[in-house]
Amino acid sequence: SAVISQKPSRDICQRGTSLTIQCQVDSQVTMMFWYRQQPGQSLTLIATANQGSEATYESGFVIDKFPISRPNLTFSTLTVSNMSPEDSSIYLCSVGTLRQGYQDTQYFGPGTRLTVL
Amino acid sequence: KNEVEQSPQNLTAQEGEFITINCSYSVGISALHWLQQHPGGGIVSLFMLSSGKKKHGRLIATINIQEKHSSLHITASHPRDSAVYICAVMNYGGSQGNLIFGKGTKLSVKP
């Protein structure tokens, strides 16, 4: 299994500011994902973080709002830009591995609880 | 109708009871996850399965592909099992990472 850590674990931010969330995995993994869980809702995939290239965003999410970096196979960051109260959510990093072309496993991080005032 | 349905939505049990949480889905899947989310928000992957049955400690997960149904069982439940349990499926042919999540079952185990 993969052990995932996220920083910060929680934060309270002012409207209009930006927050960068870090995700560190203890082993090299093929895939890294960022999810959002709004209050009372299921998880929603924001994007797949690609090593060395631009992330692949899901419908409804754009790079200007959620820039993502993935400089290597064990680390990624998600920035929530120009925050508004609607961005208050839990943001989760998730990793997966591939075997024979198919996704083999998926693990989730502890999450970052963001409150925007 | 949601593609992934869980039942019950809420469950209260006494310590020591045997617990079953159900998950039904309507799409073809390549794998099904059972996840545990504690009040702080962090998610722990309990099981990923595509057939049969898996056991880890007091937890057992089963899946019936033909019936499109999975169950998560907890034997000898304990207050520390109190959490939200989420069923998520990987849609066959869907993009990796794009799981379809159930709404979760909130379990409370009383001492």
Side-chain angles (χ1 to χ4, degrees), chain B residues 39-81:
Chain B
I43 287 182
V44 174
S45 299
L46 298 176
F47 297 102
M48 178 175 170
L49 63 164
S50 55
S51 65
K53 175 179 172 179
K54 287 190 177 180
K55 185 177 190 292
H56 186 259
R58 295 181 294 107
L59 301 177
I60 303 167
T62 63
I63 188 169
N64 185 317
I65 296 295
Q66 287 73 30
E67 295 186 2
K68 295 188 174 180
H69 181 268
S70 176
S71 293
L72 176 68
H73 306 286
I74 305 175
T75 61
S77 60
H78 190 276
R80 64 175 175 266
D81 296 326

Side-chain angles (χ1 to χ4, degrees), chain A residues 1-51:
Chain A
S1 65
V3 178
I4 304 168
S5 59
Q6 281 186 235
K7 290 182 185 178
S9 58
R10 58 176 60 229
D11 207 341
I12 300 173
C13 300
Q14 295 297 321
R15 181 197 298 261
T17 63
S18 297
L19 176 72
T20 295
I21 302 167
Q22 298 180 2
C23 175
Q24 180 75 53
V25 190
D26 69 342
S27 58
Q28 293 187 343
V29 291
T30 313
M31 297 168 293
M32 295 182 82
F33 310 102
W34 287 98
Y35 289 84
R36 179 176 74 180
Q37 186 181 33
Q38 293 177 298
Q41 302 296 313
S42 298
L43 281 77
T44 301
L45 181 64
I46 298 172
T48 301
N50 300 311
Q51 189 211 353

